[in-house]
Amino acid sequence: MSVTLTEQAAKHVARYIERRGQGQGLRLGVRTTGCSGLAYKLEYVDAPSGEDVIFESHGVKVFVDPKSLPYLEGTELDFQREGLNEGFKFSNPNVKNECGCGESFTV
């Protein structure tokens, strides 16, 4: 299994890194928070950690820390625009329940 980006998400990340003028990819992780227990965290990577597990999808590297990986195995990250709103959408096969606001989840 792995963590992947859709083509649309990869294009968005690549454009953002290009505008920033630096970066090696996107770090995806989870943190404990919210009413359901876990929330996604995203950040751009300038220098990878020695422990990161690295996946590549559509030419973009996705870095995942080993503690987050069991919660993220098989996740696909998409970037969607709906009207004036845009953002990343997570398709995680491990999620058992999500809170009403969509900010946190349980596995």
Side-chain angles (χ1 to χ4, degrees):
M1 284 226 158
S2 65
V3 176
T4 59
L5 301 174
T6 64
E7 187 174 350
Q8 185 68 19
K11 286 179 181 179
H12 178 77
V13 171
R15 279 192 306 266
Y16 187 81
I17 289 172
E18 186 177 319
R19 279 186 267 156
R20 282 180 80 221
Q22 65 180 8
Q24 295 187 23
L26 184 70
R27 177 172 285 115
L28 176 59
V30 295
R31 58 186 167 87
T32 305
T33 189
C35 47
S36 291
L38 297 170
Y40 298 108
K41 61 180 182 177
L42 290 170
E43 62 186 14
Y44 288 91
V45 176
D46 293 329
S49 162
E51 296 180 347
D52 284 334
V53 178
I54 304 169
F55 302 99
E56 190 163 332
S57 190
H58 298 284
V60 173
K61 291 181 182 175
V62 180
F63 299 82
V64 180
D65 68 89
K67 290 180 183 178
S68 295
L69 190 57
Y71 303 108
L72 298 172
E73 280 283 355
T75 296
E76 181 182 66
L77 185 60
D78 191 13
F79 187 80
Q80 298 180 348
R81 288 190 173 101
E82 295 176 8
L84 298 175
N85 298 319
E86 64 181 19
F88 288 106
K89 179 168 174 56
F90 298 87
S91 178
N92 184 341
N94 305 301
V95 171
K96 302 289 186 239
N97 196 11
E98 293 179 308
C99 70
C101 64
E103 292 296 319
S104 62
F105 63 95
T106 57
V107 292

